[in-house]
Amino acid sequence: MRFAVAERDAVLAAAVGEVLAKRCGPELIRAGWPGGRVAQVDALWRTLAEVGVPAALVPEAAGGLGLDENALAPLMETLGRAGPPVPAAETVAVGAPLLAAAGAPQLAAVLAGSSLVAVARQEGAPVPFAARAALIVVPVGDGLRLYERGEVRAEPVASVDGSRAAARVSAPAGGGLLLAEGPKARAAACRRGVLATSALLVGLGARMLELTVAHVRERRQFGVPVGSFQAVKHALADAEVALRFARPAVLAAGWAQAAGDAEAAVRTSMAKVLASDAARLAARTALQCHGAIGYTTQYPLHLYTKRAWALAADWGGPAYHRELVARRLGLAGPGGHGSGTDLGEGMLA
């Protein structure tokens, strides 16, 4: 089967790419790290909101663009390639659609870009961007509830990617706004989060390869560019091939979710496995081909490699999603190793 991006989805991704090319470089990413000027990040997100990024999956009747999950792959890949330090998957793929379905009054602020959404996956686990997001979605009982940041206690925790502003969240038993209820609604929200994160990883991998190719063309040893060495060529080719295999898998998962396909869950897990493995391979290859400079914090590569490592484990790591696929194929016991997320429980149901 051949997958191609629809024109309307491609137009949105291209418009976002133009904004990011002008305003989102390494310095903007650094602004999201502790001690950085986070106001610059917030300003960029408001500009992206004007383009329609947080409104992508929101119905037109609720003020959104009325797109479906097919739009997530090109949009999130574009965001992943640039790397703005925001909860893009959580806000665009999970938070905004849930708020729209529930008729939440906070939706207007999300669509305007003045409020970001963080999503708790598992009780007691660190929540990416919870130390900075204005709204936090928390799984409570059989449902998903929305809390204002002032309604919860957020204890900041360290992360390999400091721009993710992670925190442990304690939400009150009562309160909050019910966004969705039942295992099907929770699984659908999780699948969108996994899909968006997979696309972010593909974009990140492509960006790391771009940096590396540019470096090995300029770096010289023995009087020639190091990119002319066969070992370097093969390593970069392997990473590129992995990304080229992951990209259509992400597109397929987006199509399956949008079409309500019975295999949407397993396609989504396959996309996450391939995207995570490809991004981690790209990160490892980039570090090896850069040499010592790739390990310094002054050089921008670490901003992307650390993001890739964090996202590869987020929304269920490759081992977790491999097990989900194996269970679907009848190759694993029903118990599993339990390394997934509470939010995603029952993804294959």
Side-chain angles (χ1 to χ4, degrees):
M1 183 180 294
R2 293 185 61 189
F3 289 95
V5 178
E7 182 178 359
R8 62 177 186 174
D9 301 336
V11 167
L12 175 60
V16 170
E18 290 179 6
V19 173
L20 293 171
K22 295 176 181 177
R23 300 186 53 179
C24 187
E27 291 309 311
L28 190 282
I29 301 175
R30 294 181 196 277
W33 281 68
R37 299 179 61 183
V38 72
Q40 296 178 355
V41 180
D42 294 339
L44 172 64
W45 186 250
R46 287 193 296 270
T47 301
L48 292 174
E50 293 175 3
V51 180
V53 171
L57 269 58
V58 173
E60 293 183 30
L65 300 184
L67 303 177
D68 58 24
E69 288 86 352
N70 284 302
L72 277 180
L75 175 59
M76 290 294 155
E77 182 175 343
T78 301
L79 288 165
R81 185 186 296 266
V86 294
E90 293 84 350
T91 300
V92 179
V94 181
L98 286 174
L99 267 65
Q106 296 90 340
L107 177 63
V110 172
L111 297 186
S114 56
S115 290
L116 292 167
V117 182
V119 179
R121 331 280 203 258
Q122 187 175 2
E123 184 178 355
V127 181
F129 298 98
R132 194 158 68 82
L135 304 170
I136 303 175
V137 177
V138 180
V140 178
D142 199 30
L144 299 173
R145 304 191 75 87
L146 179 72
Y147 292 88
E148 302 277 354
R149 189 158 174 263
E151 295 180 275
V152 303
R153 184 166 58 89
E155 179 186 353
V157 297
S159 170
V160 64
D161 177 5
S163 70
R164 283 165 64 80
R168 297 188 190 278
V169 173
S170 299
L177 174 66
L178 182 64
L179 296 178
E181 194 168 18
K184 288 187 177 180
R186 288 177 57 167
C190 178
R191 283 195 294 269
R192 290 196 302 272
V194 174
L195 170 63
T197 303
S198 301
L200 288 171
L201 284 163
V202 172
L204 274 168
R207 178 59 177 148
M208 288 184 286
L209 284 188
E210 288 175 358
L211 284 172
T212 308
V213 169
H215 175 75
V216 298
R217 283 175 173 169
E218 297 296 327
R219 180 77 169 91
R220 301 177 70 86
Q221 283 186 342
F222 308 110
V224 297
V226 297
S228 64
F229 300 156
Q230 189 177 57
V232 173
K233 289 180 179 180
H234 285 191
L236 290 171
D238 287 344
E240 175 65 22
V241 168
L243 288 170
R244 292 197 182 193
F245 271 95
R247 186 174 287 111
V250 176
L251 289 171
W255 169 84
Q257 290 190 28
D261 185 75
E263 298 299 319
V266 71
R267 288 185 184 276
T268 302
S269 286
M270 290 169 62
K272 184 59 164 61
V273 169
L274 291 172
S276 297
D277 286 351
R280 293 196 299 193
L281 176 60
R284 183 168 65 249
T285 302
L287 285 171
Q288 291 173 338
C289 291
H290 271 84
I293 192 174
Y295 291 86
T296 66
T297 56
Q298 290 80 11
Y299 191 75
L301 180 62
H302 82 100
L303 299 171
Y304 304 102
T305 57
K306 291 174 180 176
R307 179 76 55 81
W309 295 333
L311 289 180
D314 205 3
W315 293 95
Y320 170 67
H321 285 284
R322 280 191 172 92
E323 183 175 334
L324 291 183
V325 175
R327 286 165 56 188
R328 184 71 175 211
L329 297 175
L331 301 177
H337 56 57
S339 64
T341 64
D342 286 350
L343 179 56
E345 190 174 352
M347 258 186 69
L348 292 177

